[in-house]
Amino acid sequence: MIPFKADLHCHSCYSDGTDTPHALIDLALSQGLSGLSITDHDTIEAYAEAIDYASAKGLRLLKGVEFSAYYLNDPVHVLGYNYDLKNSLISDFCAAHITRRRARNEAILEKLRHLGFEIDYKELSILSKGPTIGRPHIATLLVNKGIVSSVKEAFDRFLGEGKSAFDPGEPVGVEETIAVIQQAGGKAILAHPHLLKKESCISFLLQLPFDGIEAYYASLPHRSQERWLKVAQERHWLISGGSDYHGTVKPQNQLGSSWVDELAFEALLK
Ligand code: AMP
Ligand code: ZN
Ligand code: FE
Ligand code: FE
């Protein structure tokens, strides 16, 4: 029997991934996964086409989303699982994020204009298949225009935190994000805590009413996982994990490179 593995963190073309939801489901099965969660940034639109397809193909799908939030000046990602798809709190929150992103993207394009790179918003919209447009799309456009030679270079030179074309946009609080997910019947999980730069930020976040933490992530070293597993054990939090697969835009993260077992999967479904 194939051991149960569920990758609970990946992105489709509805946000900044390059695979369609159907392609993600096919790839998950070909990688030997039994469960999957598509956690697009700030949108749940993938589920309209993913649910029936996954069920027909025999892949267990856990509803997911990854919300962008801020604690002071630090970006914090919050995963939401098993929420009620029909709850308007979730869809309204996603809609507010899309509006916020539009203004933020305009601000980033304005900064790029000042640096001498003219990009029309339409060029960005055409590039994106879904509602969530973000920095990876802008990075791809910079590559397509020959301004940089890779997405990584676009982040390193212009789009990363504190770089010349970076703009944080209107910040959304972590506490509000947790509340929306939980009020929509979902589980709020602190995403990739090892990527948080400041210990003061981590200490603040670990006191919030999260339901769980993402302890397994892409190729996170074993020793680092131990810290988050201990945090979860102390707080009686759920554990999640996944690859953060984005397709060709982030080729180093392969689907199925990180996963949770059946027990953790079922706990998130309760
Ligand atoms: P946004 O949601 O618009 O702030 O963009 C965040 C996305 O950009 C995340 O999915 C990250 O995977 C991606 N990202 C952040 N930093 C980098 C980087 N240095 N290189 C490539 N992708 C990055
Ligand atoms: Zn992303
Ligand atoms: Fe993230
Ligand atoms: Fe992600």
Side-chain angles (χ1 to χ4, degrees):
M1 211 173 76
I2 315 166
F4 184 103
K5 289 183 182 178
D7 185 333
L8 304 183
H9 192 155
C10 69
H11 299 268
S12 82
C13 60
Y14 281 92
S15 65
D16 55 3
T18 51
D19 292 12
T20 63
H22 286 194
L24 281 176
I25 290 162
D26 289 340
L27 181 62
L29 288 164
S30 74
Q31 299 286 77
L33 295 172
S34 307
L36 183 76
S37 184
I38 302 172
T39 50
D40 277 320
H41 299 280
D42 308 325
T43 178
I44 57 174
E45 284 196 16
Y47 286 92
E49 61 188 77
I51 290 177
D52 287 349
Y53 190 74
S55 148
K57 293 268 176 164
L59 181 75
R60 295 192 65 193
L61 196 64
L62 173 68
K63 280 167 284 174
V65 63
E66 182 176 20
F67 285 121
S68 320
Y70 266 91
Y71 166 63
L72 302 177
N73 291 319
D74 296 317
V76 178
H77 284 177
V78 181
L79 292 158
Y81 292 115
N82 204 31
Y83 48 80
D84 175 5
L85 258 184
K86 297 199 179 74
N87 191 305
S88 61
L89 278 175
I90 279 277
S91 41
D92 289 352
F93 197 58
C94 289
H97 267 289
I98 301 313
T99 307
R100 172 191 69 78
R101 279 181 174 274
R102 169 87 202 205
R104 180 202 190 202
N105 291 335
E106 298 274 16
I108 294 175
L109 293 192
E110 184 60 26
K111 288 181 177 173
L112 284 171
R113 212 164 282 136
H114 278 289
L115 293 167
F117 310 117
E118 194 65 40
I119 297 173
D120 193 86
Y121 206 94
K122 265 201 216 105
E123 295 177 79
L124 256 192
S125 331
I126 294 165
L127 203 68
S128 165
K129 295 184 192 71
T132 298
I133 305 176
R135 288 181 291 161
H137 299 100
I138 301 175
T140 302
L141 212 52
L142 292 173
V143 173
N144 293 350
K145 284 175 172 281
I147 296 165
V148 292
S149 57
S150 67
V151 166
K152 185 182 178 308
E153 188 189 338
F155 273 90
D156 289 347
R157 283 179 59 196
F158 304 117
L159 303 172
E161 297 280 318
K163 303 292 177 185
S164 52
F166 178 74
D167 191 287
E170 181 78 26
V172 181
V174 181
E175 286 129 309
E176 181 190 353
T177 305
I178 296 173
V180 168
I181 295 167
Q182 291 174 343
Q183 283 163 24
K187 303 276 199 289
I189 308 290
L190 176 59
H192 40 62
H194 65 289
L195 295 180
L196 296 161
K197 292 192 183 82
K198 295 188 195 123
E199 279 299 322
S200 56
C201 176
I202 296 174
S203 325
F204 169 80
L205 293 170
L206 295 185
Q207 289 173 46
L208 296 182
F210 280 106
D211 298 291
I213 191 161
E214 190 176 45
Y216 305 109
Y217 179 87
S219 52
L220 181 67
H222 206 73
R223 206 189 301 152
S224 190
Q225 290 172 11
E226 296 298 327
R227 175 177 180 189
W228 311 119
L229 291 170
K230 188 161 169 276
V231 159
Q233 199 174 26
E234 284 164 3
R235 288 164 179 74
H236 305 288
W237 278 1
L238 300 168
I239 285 162
S240 116
S243 62
D244 209 358
Y245 173 77
H246 280 72
T248 55
V249 76
K250 219 174 172 181
Q252 67 277 24
N253 294 40
Q254 285 304 305
L255 195 74
S257 59
S258 197
W259 44 271
V260 296
D261 63 14
E262 192 164 15
L263 211 64
F265 184 81
E266 293 293 349
L268 285 159
L269 266 173
K270 270 194 197 126

PDB file of all heavy atoms in Angstrom, residues 10-37:
ATOM      1  N   CYS A  10       0.116  24.659  -1.989  1.00  0.00           N
ATOM      2  CA  CYS A  10       0.543  24.893  -3.372  1.00  0.00           C
ATOM      3  C   CYS A  10      -0.354  25.955  -4.007  1.00  0.00           C
ATOM      4  O   CYS A  10      -1.408  26.291  -3.471  1.00  0.00           O
ATOM      5  CB  CYS A  10       0.533  23.591  -4.176  1.00  0.00           C
ATOM      6  SG  CYS A  10      -1.107  22.933  -4.485  1.00  0.00           S
ATOM      7  N   HIS A  11       0.115  26.486  -5.104  1.00  0.00           N
ATOM      8  CA  HIS A  11      -0.579  27.607  -5.754  1.00  0.00           C
ATOM      9  C   HIS A  11      -0.935  27.274  -7.196  1.00  0.00           C
ATOM     10  O   HIS A  11      -0.134  26.679  -7.915  1.00  0.00           O
ATOM     11  CB  HIS A  11       0.294  28.861  -5.701  1.00  0.00           C
ATOM     12  CG  HIS A  11       0.591  29.287  -4.292  1.00  0.00           C
ATOM     13  ND1 HIS A  11      -0.198  30.191  -3.615  1.00  0.00           N
ATOM     14  CD2 HIS A  11       1.545  28.895  -3.413  1.00  0.00           C
ATOM     15  CE1 HIS A  11       0.284  30.351  -2.393  1.00  0.00           C
ATOM     16  NE2 HIS A  11       1.340  29.573  -2.241  1.00  0.00           N
ATOM     17  N   SER A  12      -2.131  27.678  -7.600  1.00  0.00           N
ATOM     18  CA  SER A  12      -2.577  27.455  -8.979  1.00  0.00           C
ATOM     19  C   SER A  12      -2.490  28.764  -9.764  1.00  0.00           C
ATOM     20  O   SER A  12      -2.131  29.816  -9.210  1.00  0.00           O
ATOM     21  CB  SER A  12      -4.030  26.948  -8.988  1.00  0.00           C
ATOM     22  OG  SER A  12      -4.930  28.030  -8.871  1.00  0.00           O
ATOM     23  N   CYS A  13      -2.869  28.705 -11.033  1.00  0.00           N
ATOM     24  CA  CYS A  13      -2.842  29.904 -11.877  1.00  0.00           C
ATOM     25  C   CYS A  13      -3.912  30.918 -11.467  1.00  0.00           C
ATOM     26  O   CYS A  13      -3.974  32.006 -12.025  1.00  0.00           O
ATOM     27  CB  CYS A  13      -2.985  29.512 -13.343  1.00  0.00           C
ATOM     28  SG  CYS A  13      -4.524  28.651 -13.689  1.00  0.00           S
ATOM     29  N   TYR A  14      -4.762  30.566 -10.493  1.00  0.00           N
ATOM     30  CA  TYR A  14      -5.716  31.572  -9.984  1.00  0.00           C
ATOM     31  C   TYR A  14      -5.011  32.594  -9.095  1.00  0.00           C
ATOM     32  O   TYR A  14      -5.532  33.666  -8.845  1.00  0.00           O
ATOM     33  CB  TYR A  14      -6.868  30.902  -9.235  1.00  0.00           C
ATOM     34  CG  TYR A  14      -7.881  30.338 -10.194  1.00  0.00           C
ATOM     35  CD1 TYR A  14      -7.799  29.026 -10.635  1.00  0.00           C
ATOM     36  CD2 TYR A  14      -8.905  31.134 -10.710  1.00  0.00           C
ATOM     37  CE1 TYR A  14      -8.702  28.511 -11.551  1.00  0.00           C
ATOM     38  CE2 TYR A  14      -9.818  30.632 -11.620  1.00  0.00           C
ATOM     39  CZ  TYR A  14      -9.713  29.319 -12.035  1.00  0.00           C
ATOM     40  OH  TYR A  14     -10.599  28.820 -12.950  1.00  0.00           O
ATOM     41  N   SER A  15      -3.797  32.211  -8.590  1.00  0.00           N
ATOM     42  CA  SER A  15      -2.969  33.242  -7.952  1.00  0.00           C
ATOM     43  C   SER A  15      -1.656  33.282  -8.729  1.00  0.00           C
ATOM     44  O   SER A  15      -1.696  33.571  -9.935  1.00  0.00           O
ATOM     45  CB  SER A  15      -2.785  33.022  -6.447  1.00  0.00           C
ATOM     46  OG  SER A  15      -2.061  31.854  -6.139  1.00  0.00           O
ATOM     47  N   ASP A  16      -0.532  32.955  -8.112  1.00  0.00           N
ATOM     48  CA  ASP A  16       0.725  33.134  -8.828  1.00  0.00           C
ATOM     49  C   ASP A  16       1.431  31.836  -9.202  1.00  0.00           C
ATOM     50  O   ASP A  16       2.624  31.836  -9.485  1.00  0.00           O
ATOM     51  CB  ASP A  16       1.660  34.055  -8.033  1.00  0.00           C
ATOM     52  CG  ASP A  16       1.888  33.548  -6.613  1.00  0.00           C
ATOM     53  OD1 ASP A  16       1.376  32.465  -6.283  1.00  0.00           O
ATOM     54  OD2 ASP A  16       2.582  34.221  -5.840  1.00  0.00           O
ATOM     55  N   GLY A  17       0.673  30.741  -9.240  1.00  0.00           N
ATOM     56  CA  GLY A  17       1.248  29.491  -9.729  1.00  0.00           C
ATOM     57  C   GLY A  17       1.073  29.421 -11.241  1.00  0.00           C
ATOM     58  O   GLY A  17       0.348  30.234 -11.820  1.00  0.00           O
ATOM     59  N   THR A  18       1.737  28.428 -11.876  1.00  0.00           N
ATOM     60  CA  THR A  18       1.609  28.347 -13.335  1.00  0.00           C
ATOM     61  C   THR A  18       0.722  27.178 -13.779  1.00  0.00           C
ATOM     62  O   THR A  18       0.397  27.066 -14.957  1.00  0.00           O
ATOM     63  CB  THR A  18       3.000  28.228 -14.009  1.00  0.00           C
ATOM     64  OG1 THR A  18       3.736  27.181 -13.383  1.00  0.00           O
ATOM     65  CG2 THR A  18       3.780  29.525 -13.865  1.00  0.00           C
ATOM     66  N   ASP A  19       0.315  26.290 -12.842  1.00  0.00           N
ATOM     67  CA  ASP A  19      -0.528  25.148 -13.207  1.00  0.00           C
ATOM     68  C   ASP A  19      -2.007  25.441 -12.963  1.00  0.00           C
ATOM     69  O   ASP A  19      -2.357  26.118 -11.992  1.00  0.00           O
ATOM     70  CB  ASP A  19      -0.152  23.912 -12.358  1.00  0.00           C
ATOM     71  CG  ASP A  19       1.219  23.369 -12.694  1.00  0.00           C
ATOM     72  OD1 ASP A  19       1.974  24.046 -13.408  1.00  0.00           O
ATOM     73  OD2 ASP A  19       1.532  22.260 -12.215  1.00  0.00           O
ATOM     74  N   THR A  20      -2.859  24.867 -13.809  1.00  0.00           N
ATOM     75  CA  THR A  20      -4.302  24.966 -13.568  1.00  0.00           C
ATOM     76  C   THR A  20      -4.629  24.037 -12.386  1.00  0.00           C
ATOM     77  O   THR A  20      -3.848  23.118 -12.080  1.00  0.00           O
ATOM     78  CB  THR A  20      -5.109  24.481 -14.786  1.00  0.00           C
ATOM     79  OG1 THR A  20      -4.799  23.087 -14.984  1.00  0.00           O
ATOM     80  CG2 THR A  20      -4.768  25.280 -16.046  1.00  0.00           C
ATOM     81  N   PRO A  21      -5.802  24.208 -11.757  1.00  0.00           N
ATOM     82  CA  PRO A  21      -6.181  23.283 -10.679  1.00  0.00           C
ATOM     83  C   PRO A  21      -6.199  21.825 -11.159  1.00  0.00           C
ATOM     84  O   PRO A  21      -5.739  20.935 -10.446  1.00  0.00           O
ATOM     85  CB  PRO A  21      -7.579  23.763 -10.275  1.00  0.00           C
ATOM     86  CG  PRO A  21      -7.559  25.233 -10.593  1.00  0.00           C
ATOM     87  CD  PRO A  21      -6.742  25.352 -11.850  1.00  0.00           C
ATOM     88  N   HIS A  22      -6.697  21.583 -12.391  1.00  0.00           N
ATOM     89  CA  HIS A  22      -6.712  20.203 -12.915  1.00  0.00           C
ATOM     90  C   HIS A  22      -5.288  19.655 -13.035  1.00  0.00           C
ATOM     91  O   HIS A  22      -5.021  18.514 -12.671  1.00  0.00           O
ATOM     92  CB  HIS A  22      -7.397  20.149 -14.289  1.00  0.00           C
ATOM     93  CG  HIS A  22      -8.888  20.292 -14.205  1.00  0.00           C
ATOM     94  ND1 HIS A  22      -9.720  20.001 -15.249  1.00  0.00           N
ATOM     95  CD2 HIS A  22      -9.689  20.689 -13.188  1.00  0.00           C
ATOM     96  CE1 HIS A  22     -10.977  20.224 -14.883  1.00  0.00           C
ATOM     97  NE2 HIS A  22     -10.983  20.650 -13.634  1.00  0.00           N
ATOM     98  N   ALA A  23      -4.378  20.497 -13.529  1.00  0.00           N
ATOM     99  CA  ALA A  23      -2.980  20.060 -13.684  1.00  0.00           C
ATOM    100  C   ALA A  23      -2.355  19.750 -12.325  1.00  0.00           C
ATOM    101  O   ALA A  23      -1.585  18.791 -12.192  1.00  0.00           O
ATOM    102  CB  ALA A  23      -2.178  21.120 -14.422  1.00  0.00           C
ATOM    103  N   LEU A  24      -2.701  20.546 -11.306  1.00  0.00           N
ATOM    104  CA  LEU A  24      -2.172  20.306  -9.953  1.00  0.00           C
ATOM    105  C   LEU A  24      -2.652  18.961  -9.427  1.00  0.00           C
ATOM    106  O   LEU A  24      -1.882  18.204  -8.819  1.00  0.00           O
ATOM    107  CB  LEU A  24      -2.639  21.406  -8.992  1.00  0.00           C
ATOM    108  CG  LEU A  24      -1.913  22.749  -9.036  1.00  0.00           C
ATOM    109  CD1 LEU A  24      -2.588  23.740  -8.090  1.00  0.00           C
ATOM    110  CD2 LEU A  24      -0.450  22.579  -8.640  1.00  0.00           C
ATOM    111  N   ILE A  25      -3.922  18.665  -9.663  1.00  0.00           N
ATOM    112  CA  ILE A  25      -4.510  17.408  -9.188  1.00  0.00           C
ATOM    113  C   ILE A  25      -3.855  16.219  -9.909  1.00  0.00           C
ATOM    114  O   ILE A  25      -3.469  15.226  -9.284  1.00  0.00           O
ATOM    115  CB  ILE A  25      -6.051  17.440  -9.359  1.00  0.00           C
ATOM    116  CG1 ILE A  25      -6.640  18.447  -8.358  1.00  0.00           C
ATOM    117  CG2 ILE A  25      -6.674  16.046  -9.204  1.00  0.00           C
ATOM    118  CD1 ILE A  25      -8.045  18.923  -8.666  1.00  0.00           C
ATOM    119  N   ASP A  26      -3.684  16.336 -11.223  1.00  0.00           N
ATOM    120  CA  ASP A  26      -3.022  15.269 -11.999  1.00  0.00           C
ATOM    121  C   ASP A  26      -1.590  15.054 -11.511  1.00  0.00           C
ATOM    122  O   ASP A  26      -1.144  13.922 -11.343  1.00  0.00           O
ATOM    123  CB  ASP A  26      -3.001  15.629 -13.499  1.00  0.00           C
ATOM    124  CG  ASP A  26      -4.384  15.543 -14.122  1.00  0.00           C
ATOM    125  OD1 ASP A  26      -5.265  14.874 -13.541  1.00  0.00           O
ATOM    126  OD2 ASP A  26      -4.590  16.167 -15.187  1.00  0.00           O
ATOM    127  N   LEU A  27      -0.891  16.178 -11.277  1.00  0.00           N
ATOM    128  CA  LEU A  27       0.506  16.083 -10.830  1.00  0.00           C
ATOM    129  C   LEU A  27       0.582  15.440  -9.437  1.00  0.00           C
ATOM    130  O   LEU A  27       1.442  14.593  -9.180  1.00  0.00           O
ATOM    131  CB  LEU A  27       1.126  17.492 -10.813  1.00  0.00           C
ATOM    132  CG  LEU A  27       2.598  17.589 -10.403  1.00  0.00           C
ATOM    133  CD1 LEU A  27       3.489  16.820 -11.377  1.00  0.00           C
ATOM    134  CD2 LEU A  27       3.051  19.056 -10.347  1.00  0.00           C
ATOM    135  N   ALA A  28      -0.350  15.832  -8.559  1.00  0.00           N
ATOM    136  CA  ALA A  28      -0.375  15.268  -7.205  1.00  0.00           C
ATOM    137  C   ALA A  28      -0.513  13.747  -7.272  1.00  0.00           C
ATOM    138  O   ALA A  28       0.204  13.015  -6.586  1.00  0.00           O
ATOM    139  CB  ALA A  28      -1.525  15.872  -6.407  1.00  0.00           C
ATOM    140  N   LEU A  29      -1.424  13.282  -8.120  1.00  0.00           N
ATOM    141  CA  LEU A  29      -1.633  11.833  -8.246  1.00  0.00           C
ATOM    142  C   LEU A  29      -0.396  11.156  -8.822  1.00  0.00           C
ATOM    143  O   LEU A  29       0.005  10.089  -8.356  1.00  0.00           O
ATOM    144  CB  LEU A  29      -2.869  11.557  -9.100  1.00  0.00           C
ATOM    145  CG  LEU A  29      -4.189  11.899  -8.386  1.00  0.00           C
ATOM    146  CD1 LEU A  29      -5.341  11.979  -9.369  1.00  0.00           C
ATOM    147  CD2 LEU A  29      -4.496  10.885  -7.280  1.00  0.00           C
ATOM    148  N   SER A  30       0.211  11.800  -9.810  1.00  0.00           N
ATOM    149  CA  SER A  30       1.395  11.176 -10.420  1.00  0.00           C
ATOM    150  C   SER A  30       2.580  11.158  -9.450  1.00  0.00           C
ATOM    151  O   SER A  30       3.497  10.358  -9.595  1.00  0.00           O
ATOM    152  CB  SER A  30       1.772  11.881 -11.730  1.00  0.00           C
ATOM    153  OG  SER A  30       2.364  13.127 -11.443  1.00  0.00           O
ATOM    154  N   GLN A  31       2.543  12.046  -8.444  1.00  0.00           N
ATOM    155  CA  GLN A  31       3.606  12.064  -7.431  1.00  0.00           C
ATOM    156  C   GLN A  31       3.298  11.115  -6.275  1.00  0.00           C
ATOM    157  O   GLN A  31       4.021  11.100  -5.275  1.00  0.00           O
ATOM    158  CB  GLN A  31       3.781  13.475  -6.844  1.00  0.00           C
ATOM    159  CG  GLN A  31       4.174  14.547  -7.843  1.00  0.00           C
ATOM    160  CD  GLN A  31       5.617  14.432  -8.260  1.00  0.00           C
ATOM    161  OE1 GLN A  31       5.971  13.574  -9.056  1.00  0.00           O
ATOM    162  NE2 GLN A  31       6.471  15.277  -7.734  1.00  0.00           N
ATOM    163  N   GLY A  32       2.180  10.413  -6.355  1.00  0.00           N
ATOM    164  CA  GLY A  32       1.816   9.452  -5.311  1.00  0.00           C
ATOM    165  C   GLY A  32       1.157  10.080  -4.097  1.00  0.00           C
ATOM    166  O   GLY A  32       1.104   9.467  -3.022  1.00  0.00           O
ATOM    167  N   LEU A  33       0.650  11.302  -4.243  1.00  0.00           N
ATOM    168  CA  LEU A  33      -0.028  11.943  -3.103  1.00  0.00           C
ATOM    169  C   LEU A  33      -1.467  11.427  -2.993  1.00  0.00           C
ATOM    170  O   LEU A  33      -2.114  11.146  -4.004  1.00  0.00           O
ATOM    171  CB  LEU A  33      -0.047  13.466  -3.275  1.00  0.00           C
ATOM    172  CG  LEU A  33       1.308  14.184  -3.252  1.00  0.00           C
ATOM    173  CD1 LEU A  33       1.148  15.651  -3.630  1.00  0.00           C
ATOM    174  CD2 LEU A  33       1.940  14.061  -1.862  1.00  0.00           C
ATOM    175  N   SER A  34      -1.966  11.324  -1.745  1.00  0.00           N
ATOM    176  CA  SER A  34      -3.349  10.913  -1.525  1.00  0.00           C
ATOM    177  C   SER A  34      -4.220  12.118  -1.220  1.00  0.00           C
ATOM    178  O   SER A  34      -5.445  12.067  -1.340  1.00  0.00           O
ATOM    179  CB  SER A  34      -3.438   9.957  -0.337  1.00  0.00           C
ATOM    180  OG  SER A  34      -2.555   8.899  -0.513  1.00  0.00           O
ATOM    181  N   GLY A  35      -3.606  13.209  -0.758  1.00  0.00           N
ATOM    182  CA  GLY A  35      -4.366  14.411  -0.405  1.00  0.00           C
ATOM    183  C   GLY A  35      -3.643  15.660  -0.882  1.00  0.00           C
ATOM    184  O   GLY A  35      -2.422  15.656  -1.078  1.00  0.00           O
ATOM    185  N   LEU A  36      -4.436  16.733  -1.059  1.00  0.00           N
ATOM    186  CA  LEU A  36      -3.871  17.986  -1.562  1.00  0.00           C
ATOM    187  C   LEU A  36      -4.691  19.160  -1.048  1.00  0.00           C
ATOM    188  O   LEU A  36      -5.908  19.037  -0.846  1.00  0.00           O
ATOM    189  CB  LEU A  36      -3.926  17.986  -3.102  1.00  0.00           C
ATOM    190  CG  LEU A  36      -3.320  19.202  -3.814  1.00  0.00           C
ATOM    191  CD1 LEU A  36      -1.792  19.111  -3.799  1.00  0.00           C
ATOM    192  CD2 LEU A  36      -3.790  19.288  -5.275  1.00  0.00           C
ATOM    193  N   SER A  37      -4.036  20.276  -0.816  1.00  0.00           N
ATOM    194  CA  SER A  37      -4.768  21.521  -0.606  1.00  0.00           C
ATOM    195  C   SER A  37      -4.152  22.578  -1.515  1.00  0.00           C
ATOM    196  O   SER A  37      -2.930  22.753  -1.524  1.00  0.00           O
ATOM    197  CB  SER A  37      -4.691  21.976   0.856  1.00  0.00           C
ATOM    198  OG  SER A  37      -5.503  23.139   1.007  1.00  0.00           O
TER     199      SER A  37
END
